[in-house]
Short mmCIF file of all heavy atoms in Angstrom, two decimals:
data_model
loop_
_atom_site.label_atom_id
_atom_site.label_comp_id
_atom_site.label_asym_id
_atom_site.label_seq_id
_atom_site.Cartn_x
_atom_site.Cartn_y
_atom_site.Cartn_z
N THR A 21 5.73 24.00 -3.13
CA THR A 21 6.98 24.75 -2.97
C THR A 21 8.11 24.13 -3.77
O THR A 21 8.86 24.81 -4.47
CB THR A 21 7.38 24.82 -1.48
OG1 THR A 21 6.29 25.32 -0.72
CG2 THR A 21 8.59 25.71 -1.29
N VAL A 22 8.23 22.82 -3.66
CA VAL A 22 9.29 22.10 -4.37
C VAL A 22 9.10 22.23 -5.88
O VAL A 22 10.07 22.45 -6.62
CB VAL A 22 9.30 20.61 -3.95
CG1 VAL A 22 10.21 19.80 -4.87
CG2 VAL A 22 9.75 20.48 -2.51
N ALA A 23 7.86 22.10 -6.34
CA ALA A 23 7.59 22.18 -7.78
C ALA A 23 8.01 23.54 -8.35
O ALA A 23 8.57 23.63 -9.45
CB ALA A 23 6.11 21.93 -8.05
N LEU A 24 7.77 24.61 -7.59
CA LEU A 24 8.18 25.95 -8.04
C LEU A 24 9.69 26.04 -8.17
O LEU A 24 10.21 26.63 -9.12
CB LEU A 24 7.67 27.01 -7.05
CG LEU A 24 6.15 27.19 -6.96
CD1 LEU A 24 5.79 28.13 -5.83
CD2 LEU A 24 5.60 27.71 -8.29
N ALA A 25 10.41 25.45 -7.23
CA ALA A 25 11.87 25.50 -7.28
C ALA A 25 12.45 24.53 -8.31
O ALA A 25 13.58 24.71 -8.76
CB ALA A 25 12.44 25.18 -5.89
N LEU A 26 11.66 23.50 -8.67
CA LEU A 26 12.14 22.51 -9.64
C LEU A 26 12.27 23.09 -11.05
O LEU A 26 13.15 22.68 -11.81
CB LEU A 26 11.19 21.31 -9.69
CG LEU A 26 11.46 20.12 -8.78
CD1 LEU A 26 10.31 19.12 -8.87
CD2 LEU A 26 12.77 19.46 -9.13
N VAL A 27 11.40 24.03 -11.39
CA VAL A 27 11.32 24.50 -12.78
C VAL A 27 12.65 25.03 -13.29
O VAL A 27 13.18 24.53 -14.30
CB VAL A 27 10.20 25.55 -12.94
CG1 VAL A 27 10.24 26.16 -14.34
CG2 VAL A 27 8.84 24.92 -12.68
N PRO A 28 13.25 26.06 -12.66
CA PRO A 28 14.51 26.59 -13.22
C PRO A 28 15.63 25.58 -13.20
O PRO A 28 16.48 25.57 -14.12
CB PRO A 28 14.81 27.80 -12.32
CG PRO A 28 14.05 27.55 -11.06
CD PRO A 28 12.83 26.79 -11.45
N GLU A 29 15.68 24.70 -12.18
CA GLU A 29 16.75 23.71 -12.12
C GLU A 29 16.61 22.69 -13.24
O GLU A 29 17.60 22.32 -13.89
CB GLU A 29 16.76 23.02 -10.76
CG GLU A 29 17.29 23.90 -9.64
CD GLU A 29 17.84 23.07 -8.50
OE1 GLU A 29 17.94 21.83 -8.65
OE2 GLU A 29 18.20 23.65 -7.47
N ALA A 30 15.38 22.20 -13.47
CA ALA A 30 15.17 21.21 -14.53
C ALA A 30 15.54 21.79 -15.89
O ALA A 30 16.17 21.11 -16.72
CB ALA A 30 13.72 20.73 -14.52
N VAL A 31 15.16 23.04 -16.11
CA VAL A 31 15.49 23.69 -17.38
C VAL A 31 17.00 23.88 -17.51
O VAL A 31 17.60 23.61 -18.56
CB VAL A 31 14.76 25.04 -17.50
CG1 VAL A 31 15.23 25.81 -18.73
CG2 VAL A 31 13.25 24.83 -17.56
N ALA A 32 17.62 24.33 -16.43
CA ALA A 32 19.07 24.57 -16.46
C ALA A 32 19.84 23.28 -16.73
O ALA A 32 20.77 23.25 -17.54
CB ALA A 32 19.52 25.19 -15.14
N PHE A 33 19.45 22.19 -16.06
CA PHE A 33 20.15 20.92 -16.24
C PHE A 33 19.92 20.36 -17.65
O PHE A 33 20.79 19.67 -18.21
CB PHE A 33 19.71 19.91 -15.19
CG PHE A 33 20.10 20.29 -13.79
CD1 PHE A 33 19.29 19.97 -12.71
CD2 PHE A 33 21.28 20.99 -13.55
CE1 PHE A 33 19.64 20.32 -11.42
CE2 PHE A 33 21.65 21.35 -12.26
CZ PHE A 33 20.83 21.02 -11.19
N ALA A 34 18.75 20.65 -18.23
CA ALA A 34 18.50 20.24 -19.61
C ALA A 34 19.50 20.90 -20.55
O ALA A 34 20.04 20.25 -21.47
CB ALA A 34 17.07 20.58 -20.02
N PHE A 35 19.77 22.17 -20.33
CA PHE A 35 20.71 22.86 -21.21
C PHE A 35 22.15 22.42 -20.95
O PHE A 35 22.96 22.38 -21.88
CB PHE A 35 20.57 24.37 -21.06
CG PHE A 35 19.41 24.93 -21.83
CD1 PHE A 35 18.21 25.21 -21.21
CD2 PHE A 35 19.51 25.12 -23.20
CE1 PHE A 35 17.13 25.69 -21.93
CE2 PHE A 35 18.44 25.60 -23.93
CZ PHE A 35 17.25 25.89 -23.30
N VAL A 36 22.46 22.07 -19.71
CA VAL A 36 23.78 21.51 -19.42
C VAL A 36 23.98 20.22 -20.20
O VAL A 36 25.07 19.96 -20.74
CB VAL A 36 23.94 21.25 -17.91
CG1 VAL A 36 25.21 20.44 -17.64
CG2 VAL A 36 23.99 22.57 -17.15
N ALA A 37 22.92 19.41 -20.29
CA ALA A 37 23.01 18.13 -21.02
C ALA A 37 22.89 18.31 -22.53
O ALA A 37 23.07 17.34 -23.28
CB ALA A 37 21.91 17.19 -20.54
N GLY A 38 22.58 19.52 -22.97
CA GLY A 38 22.47 19.78 -24.40
C GLY A 38 21.16 19.33 -25.02
O GLY A 38 21.12 18.98 -26.20
N VAL A 39 20.08 19.34 -24.23
CA VAL A 39 18.77 18.93 -24.75
C VAL A 39 17.76 20.06 -24.51
O VAL A 39 18.05 21.04 -23.84
CB VAL A 39 18.28 17.63 -24.07
CG1 VAL A 39 19.22 16.48 -24.39
CG2 VAL A 39 18.18 17.81 -22.55
N GLU A 40 16.55 19.90 -25.07
CA GLU A 40 15.53 20.93 -24.94
C GLU A 40 14.97 20.99 -23.52
O GLU A 40 15.01 19.99 -22.79
CB GLU A 40 14.39 20.64 -25.92
CG GLU A 40 14.81 20.72 -27.39
CD GLU A 40 13.66 20.41 -28.33
OE1 GLU A 40 12.56 20.09 -27.81
OE2 GLU A 40 13.85 20.49 -29.54
N PRO A 41 14.42 22.16 -23.10
CA PRO A 41 13.91 22.31 -21.74
C PRO A 41 12.88 21.25 -21.34
O PRO A 41 12.90 20.75 -20.22
CB PRO A 41 13.29 23.71 -21.74
CG PRO A 41 14.04 24.45 -22.80
CD PRO A 41 14.35 23.42 -23.86
N LEU A 42 11.97 20.91 -22.28
CA LEU A 42 10.93 19.94 -21.93
C LEU A 42 11.50 18.56 -21.60
O LEU A 42 10.89 17.80 -20.85
CB LEU A 42 9.92 19.81 -23.08
CG LEU A 42 8.83 20.90 -23.13
CD1 LEU A 42 7.97 20.73 -24.37
CD2 LEU A 42 7.98 20.88 -21.87
N VAL A 43 12.67 18.23 -22.15
CA VAL A 43 13.30 16.94 -21.84
C VAL A 43 13.67 16.90 -20.35
O VAL A 43 13.50 15.88 -19.68
CB VAL A 43 14.55 16.72 -22.72
CG1 VAL A 43 15.28 15.45 -22.31
CG2 VAL A 43 14.15 16.64 -24.19
N GLY A 44 14.16 18.03 -19.83
CA GLY A 44 14.47 18.10 -18.40
C GLY A 44 13.23 18.15 -17.54
O GLY A 44 13.16 17.52 -16.47
N LEU A 45 12.20 18.88 -17.99
CA LEU A 45 10.96 19.00 -17.22
C LEU A 45 10.22 17.66 -17.17
O LEU A 45 9.68 17.28 -16.12
CB LEU A 45 10.07 20.08 -17.84
CG LEU A 45 10.58 21.52 -17.68
CD1 LEU A 45 9.78 22.46 -18.56
CD2 LEU A 45 10.50 21.95 -16.22
N TYR A 46 10.19 16.95 -18.30
CA TYR A 46 9.55 15.63 -18.30
C TYR A 46 10.28 14.66 -17.37
O TYR A 46 9.65 13.84 -16.69
CB TYR A 46 9.51 15.06 -19.72
CG TYR A 46 8.48 15.70 -20.63
CD1 TYR A 46 8.64 15.70 -22.01
CD2 TYR A 46 7.35 16.32 -20.11
CE1 TYR A 46 7.70 16.29 -22.86
CE2 TYR A 46 6.40 16.91 -20.93
CZ TYR A 46 6.59 16.90 -22.31
OH TYR A 46 5.65 17.49 -23.12
N ALA A 47 11.60 14.76 -17.35
CA ALA A 47 12.37 13.88 -16.45
C ALA A 47 12.05 14.20 -15.00
O ALA A 47 11.87 13.29 -14.18
CB ALA A 47 13.87 14.06 -16.72
N ALA A 48 11.98 15.50 -14.67
CA ALA A 48 11.66 15.88 -13.30
C ALA A 48 10.28 15.37 -12.90
O ALA A 48 10.08 14.90 -11.76
CB ALA A 48 11.72 17.40 -13.16
N PHE A 49 9.32 15.43 -13.83
CA PHE A 49 7.97 14.94 -13.53
C PHE A 49 7.94 13.43 -13.35
O PHE A 49 7.47 12.91 -12.33
CB PHE A 49 7.01 15.35 -14.66
CG PHE A 49 5.74 14.55 -14.70
CD1 PHE A 49 4.84 14.60 -13.64
CD2 PHE A 49 5.46 13.73 -15.79
CE1 PHE A 49 3.67 13.84 -13.67
CE2 PHE A 49 4.30 12.98 -15.82
CZ PHE A 49 3.40 13.03 -14.76
N MET A 50 8.47 12.69 -14.33
CA MET A 50 8.32 11.23 -14.30
C MET A 50 9.18 10.58 -13.23
O MET A 50 8.72 9.70 -12.49
CB MET A 50 8.65 10.65 -15.68
CG MET A 50 7.67 11.10 -16.76
SD MET A 50 7.57 9.93 -18.12
CE MET A 50 6.90 8.49 -17.33
N VAL A 51 10.46 11.00 -13.14
CA VAL A 51 11.33 10.42 -12.12
C VAL A 51 10.80 10.78 -10.73
O VAL A 51 10.76 9.93 -9.82
CB VAL A 51 12.78 10.90 -12.30
CG1 VAL A 51 13.66 10.40 -11.15
CG2 VAL A 51 13.34 10.42 -13.63
N GLY A 52 10.38 12.03 -10.57
CA GLY A 52 9.84 12.44 -9.27
C GLY A 52 8.59 11.68 -8.88
O GLY A 52 8.44 11.25 -7.73
N LEU A 53 7.67 11.48 -9.83
CA LEU A 53 6.42 10.80 -9.53
C LEU A 53 6.64 9.33 -9.17
O LEU A 53 6.11 8.83 -8.17
CB LEU A 53 5.48 10.90 -10.74
CG LEU A 53 4.13 10.20 -10.63
CD1 LEU A 53 3.29 10.82 -9.53
CD2 LEU A 53 3.40 10.20 -11.97
N ILE A 54 7.44 8.64 -9.98
CA ILE A 54 7.61 7.19 -9.79
C ILE A 54 8.41 6.89 -8.52
O ILE A 54 8.04 6.00 -7.74
CB ILE A 54 8.26 6.56 -11.03
CG1 ILE A 54 7.32 6.69 -12.23
CG2 ILE A 54 8.61 5.09 -10.78
CD1 ILE A 54 7.92 6.26 -13.55
N THR A 55 9.50 7.63 -8.29
CA THR A 55 10.30 7.36 -7.08
C THR A 55 9.53 7.71 -5.82
O THR A 55 9.67 7.04 -4.80
CB THR A 55 11.63 8.13 -7.12
OG1 THR A 55 11.37 9.53 -7.30
CG2 THR A 55 12.52 7.65 -8.25
N ALA A 56 8.70 8.77 -5.88
CA ALA A 56 7.90 9.12 -4.71
C ALA A 56 6.86 8.05 -4.42
O ALA A 56 6.49 7.83 -3.26
CB ALA A 56 7.22 10.46 -4.93
N THR A 57 6.41 7.35 -5.46
CA THR A 57 5.37 6.33 -5.30
C THR A 57 5.93 4.99 -4.83
O THR A 57 5.38 4.37 -3.90
CB THR A 57 4.62 6.12 -6.63
OG1 THR A 57 4.09 7.38 -7.06
CG2 THR A 57 3.48 5.13 -6.45
N ILE A 58 7.03 4.54 -5.44
CA ILE A 58 7.52 3.18 -5.13
C ILE A 58 8.93 3.16 -4.58
O ILE A 58 9.49 2.09 -4.33
CB ILE A 58 7.46 2.28 -6.39
CG1 ILE A 58 8.43 2.79 -7.46
CG2 ILE A 58 6.04 2.20 -6.92
CD1 ILE A 58 8.57 1.86 -8.65
N GLY A 59 9.55 4.32 -4.36
CA GLY A 59 10.92 4.37 -3.86
C GLY A 59 11.01 3.99 -2.40
O GLY A 59 10.01 3.73 -1.72
N GLY A 60 12.23 4.00 -1.88
CA GLY A 60 12.45 3.55 -0.50
C GLY A 60 12.58 4.65 0.52
O GLY A 60 12.86 4.38 1.69
N ARG A 61 12.38 5.93 0.11
CA ARG A 61 12.55 7.03 1.06
C ARG A 61 11.45 8.07 0.89
O ARG A 61 11.55 8.97 0.05
CB ARG A 61 13.92 7.68 0.84
CG ARG A 61 14.23 8.92 1.66
CD ARG A 61 14.40 8.64 3.11
NE ARG A 61 13.19 8.96 3.87
CZ ARG A 61 13.09 8.86 5.18
NH1 ARG A 61 14.11 8.42 5.88
NH2 ARG A 61 11.98 9.19 5.79
N PRO A 62 10.35 7.96 1.65
CA PRO A 62 9.32 9.01 1.59
C PRO A 62 9.90 10.37 1.91
O PRO A 62 10.74 10.51 2.81
CB PRO A 62 8.33 8.56 2.68
CG PRO A 62 8.54 7.09 2.82
CD PRO A 62 10.00 6.88 2.58
N GLY A 63 9.47 11.38 1.17
CA GLY A 63 9.95 12.74 1.39
C GLY A 63 11.15 13.12 0.55
O GLY A 63 11.50 14.30 0.48
N MET A 64 11.78 12.15 -0.10
CA MET A 64 12.93 12.46 -0.95
C MET A 64 12.46 12.82 -2.35
O MET A 64 11.57 12.17 -2.90
CB MET A 64 13.89 11.27 -1.01
CG MET A 64 15.23 11.59 -1.68
SD MET A 64 16.52 10.37 -1.31
CE MET A 64 16.01 9.02 -2.37
N ILE A 65 13.02 13.88 -2.92
CA ILE A 65 12.63 14.37 -4.24
C ILE A 65 13.67 13.98 -5.27
O ILE A 65 14.88 14.15 -5.05
CB ILE A 65 12.48 15.91 -4.22
CG1 ILE A 65 11.49 16.34 -3.14
CG2 ILE A 65 12.05 16.42 -5.59
CD1 ILE A 65 10.08 15.83 -3.32
N SER A 66 13.21 13.45 -6.39
CA SER A 66 14.10 13.06 -7.48
C SER A 66 13.73 13.81 -8.75
O SER A 66 12.58 14.22 -8.93
CB SER A 66 14.04 11.55 -7.71
OG SER A 66 14.49 10.83 -6.58
N GLY A 67 14.69 13.96 -9.63
CA GLY A 67 14.46 14.63 -10.90
C GLY A 67 15.76 14.75 -11.67
O GLY A 67 16.75 14.11 -11.34
N ALA A 68 15.76 15.57 -12.71
CA ALA A 68 16.97 15.81 -13.48
C ALA A 68 18.00 16.50 -12.60
O ALA A 68 17.68 17.43 -11.87
CB ALA A 68 16.65 16.67 -14.70
#
Side-chain angles (χ1 to χ4, degrees):
T21 307
V22 169
L24 294 173
L26 269 173
V27 173
E29 287 205 7
V31 173
F33 294 146
F35 280 99
V36 170
V39 296
E40 296 179 357
L42 279 175
V43 175
L45 291 169
Y46 286 155
F49 161 64
M50 295 205 64
V51 175
L53 178 64
I54 295 173
T55 56
T57 304
I58 65 172
R61 175 69 260 184
M64 190 163 75
I65 304 298
S66 297

